[in-house]
Amino acid sequence: MAMKDYSDEFKADAVALYESTPGATYKSIAADLGINRATLREWVLRDRERRGVTATPTTAGEALVRAGAAASSADPDERIRQLEARVAELEASERKLVTERDILRKAAKYFRRDELVISRFQFVDDHRATYEVKRLCEVLELNRSSYYKWLSGRQARAARRHRDRVLAEKIREVHGESGGAYGSPRVTAELTDKGLPVNEKRVARVMRAFSITGVRLRRRVRTTVPDPAVTLVPDLFQRDFTAPEPGWKYMRDITYLPLENGEFLYLATVLDCFSRRVVGWSIADHMRTDLVADALRMAARTRGGLDGSLFHSDHGAQYGSRVFADLCTQLGVTRSMGAVGTSADNATCESFHASLKRETLQGAHDYGDATTCRRTVFAWLSRYNTRRRHSANDHLSPNEYERRHHAAKLTLAA
């Protein structure tokens, strides 16, 4: 399943991702990229050696020892003053956090919109020592019998709230591991995989109650520019974006990546129709044929060859060029193109790119500079294959979906 050969571009992006991720370990980054830990470490050390950079402390203990060694030569009184100032700063920060936590808890108790009736009952109960229950219910327009019925179910509600809080913490953990991208279906699948079977409706309810949600992105830029001189290529997909085996059918497309100051990078991708795995991609500051050709070459390296496969795209000039057609012939690829101006003929790629930008931009208007953009998208694409659950794969990652398919075939053959 691993890529047969890694390009220099892939290696450089992997090293940049490791070096720029705070608290990163070789194991975690390698798992996201789907490569061996030792391989990533070798790339990083080789890059540091090339740049003449010495290794930096990798643990808090090493950093503390180094800081202590640096401070040992300083004036003792000055060191004490610095430590006292730091302690005072931490105490002030702690008081601020405690105050903020208490304010949020009180606000949630009385003003949570989806529990407005319960909040009014709670208000009566909290103030019954000061005012008569009858008077409180009159002011709040509550039925006293309803209040006492609510009061009798206090223990059951408390137990439910406790269970919801415990579940919310587990949801936050899964949600954080996904980069804030997963909704209730994928969170439910992840929890079930971790040995915590739970109903998706309950997960959705708890996520709403604890404000655990994703973001949406709606900005669009035109990237498909048809070439009137393109040789007619038939539509061999007919909007069927499924395949019985990996490596049979692929789809491809280009999308824009917005940068600061109104500039763009462009991403070309190649997706396997069977598992939705990204087998090839390329990022550049142009939309020339080289962009899509590089993505196709990466797909060939990932799969160990593309002979006999079927590739589908829109009518962009890059995919209809003579150079790209010759590359497809060289690799043994049969081309397919949808109708002109019909996004439904390439809907799966459109949806994939929408998910990528929604989960990486997270509501921002742009990625910042080109280096940050490239690193962010590279990390997401790698994690997409190795860890991100896909609804079309029974909520399995593309790599895991293919692995289980191959394992099932071997079992049947035996």
Side-chain angles (χ1 to χ4, degrees):
M1 300 294 291
M3 191 183 301
K4 303 296 183 182
D5 180 31
Y6 299 99
S7 65
D8 292 340
E9 179 184 13
F10 184 95
K11 294 177 183 178
D13 286 337
V15 171
L17 177 62
Y18 173 81
E19 296 284 21
S20 64
T21 304
T25 63
Y26 290 121
K27 181 179 179 180
S28 63
I29 297 299
D32 281 347
L33 300 180
I35 63 177
N36 186 275
R37 173 187 175 279
T39 300
L40 176 61
R41 183 176 183 274
E42 180 184 352
W43 293 348
V44 172
L45 294 180
R46 188 182 302 165
D47 181 74
R48 288 177 177 175
E49 181 180 356
R50 178 183 60 80
R51 293 184 288 115
V53 177
T54 57
T56 57
T58 58
T59 67
E62 292 178 14
L64 185 60
V65 170
R66 183 166 296 185
S72 61
S73 60
D75 180 64
D77 292 337
E78 178 62 24
R79 290 166 53 198
I80 292 174
R81 284 193 295 272
Q82 291 177 354
L83 290 173
E84 289 176 342
R86 180 56 176 161
V87 169
E89 179 184 345
L90 291 173
E91 289 177 343
S93 177
E94 182 181 10
R95 287 194 298 270
K96 180 181 178 182
L97 290 174
V98 170
T99 301
E100 291 177 351
R101 182 194 62 191
D102 291 340
I103 291 173
L104 289 173
R105 284 180 175 175
K106 291 178 181 179
K109 186 180 296 183
Y110 290 106
F111 301 110
R112 188 176 297 164
R113 289 176 297 175
D114 60 334
E115 295 185 3
L116 182 59
V117 174
I118 295 178
S119 297
R120 287 189 290 170
F121 286 148
Q122 187 64 59
F123 184 87
V124 172
D125 196 54
D126 289 346
H127 295 80
R128 61 186 298 181
T130 306
Y131 307 99
E132 291 183 353
V133 171
K134 178 181 179 180
R135 180 58 180 160
L136 287 169
C137 289
E138 288 176 351
V139 171
L140 296 177
E141 299 181 351
L142 293 175
N143 190 306
R144 272 190 294 170
S145 63
S146 297
Y147 163 71
Y148 287 116
K149 183 177 180 180
W150 171 87
L151 194 62
S152 66
R154 171 180 293 176
Q155 290 184 347
R157 286 194 305 277
R160 178 186 177 187
R161 285 196 296 269
H162 174 72
R163 292 193 298 270
D164 284 352
R165 283 195 296 269
V166 172
L167 178 59
E169 290 304 313
K170 297 183 182 299
I171 290 174
R172 281 197 181 97
E173 181 180 346
V174 171
H175 192 254
E177 289 174 354
S178 73
Y182 280 3
S184 58
R186 290 189 176 93
V187 169
T188 303
E190 186 75 25
L191 291 174
T192 301
D193 232 25
K194 292 184 175 183
L196 183 64
V198 62
N199 185 278
E200 183 186 334
K201 290 183 179 179
R202 184 186 174 202
V203 171
R205 176 180 61 78
V206 172
M207 290 181 71
R208 287 194 302 271
F210 288 84
S211 300
I212 306 173
T213 185
V215 293
R216 295 183 179 275
L217 182 70
R218 297 186 178 274
R219 188 181 176 191
R220 294 181 61 85
V221 168
R222 187 185 185 196
T223 55
T224 302
V225 182
D227 185 346
V230 169
T231 303
L232 183 64
V233 176
D235 182 0
L236 303 179
F237 269 45
Q238 296 297 317
R239 300 186 183 180
D240 179 9
F241 300 108
T242 63
E245 292 284 339
W248 284 22
K249 295 168 64 177
Y250 297 96
M251 45 196 164
R252 57 204 177 194
D253 199 7
I254 302 174
T255 192
Y256 74 99
L257 303 172
L259 305 179
E260 56 190 3
N261 301 324
E263 299 178 348
F264 297 95
L265 288 182
Y266 299 93
L267 169 69
T269 52
V270 178
L271 274 67
D272 191 299
C273 290
F274 174 77
S275 63
R276 304 298 194 266
R277 181 183 178 188
V278 188
V279 295
W281 72 77
S282 180
I283 302 175
D285 59 359
H286 61 79
M287 288 200 300
R288 296 190 295 271
T289 301
D290 287 346
L291 176 69
V292 296
D294 287 344
L296 185 61
R297 293 189 185 98
M298 179 180 176
R301 292 196 302 270
T302 300
R303 289 304 195 193
L306 300 173
D307 189 40
S309 60
L310 182 64
F311 271 59
H312 185 79
S313 70
D314 56 29
H315 280 261
Q318 304 86 351
Y319 295 116
S321 68
R322 183 73 264 167
V323 172
F324 189 77
D326 290 343
L327 177 60
C328 289
T329 301
Q330 176 186 340
L331 296 175
V333 170
T334 300
R335 293 188 298 157
S336 168
M337 284 188 176
V340 177
T342 305
S343 60
D345 286 345
N346 205 27
T348 303
C349 275
E350 297 275 355
S351 175
F352 168 79
H353 287 149
S355 296
L356 181 154
K357 285 187 276 190
R358 181 176 64 250
E359 296 178 13
T360 53
L361 282 171
Q362 298 192 2
H365 295 293
D366 60 69
Y367 291 95
D369 58 64
T371 301
T372 301
C373 173
R374 185 183 191 89
R375 186 179 303 133
T376 301
V377 173
F378 173 77
W380 188 91
L381 290 171
S382 299
R383 184 184 179 88
Y384 171 90
N385 281 338
T386 58
R387 297 192 180 186
R388 186 183 183 277
R389 295 177 181 273
H390 201 296
S391 57
N393 296 343
D394 296 327
H395 290 298
L396 298 173
S397 69
N399 283 5
E400 178 64 15
Y401 190 67
E402 290 189 4
R403 186 194 69 77
R404 294 194 184 187
H405 174 76
H406 289 305
K409 288 184 60 179
L410 291 175
T411 301
L412 291 175

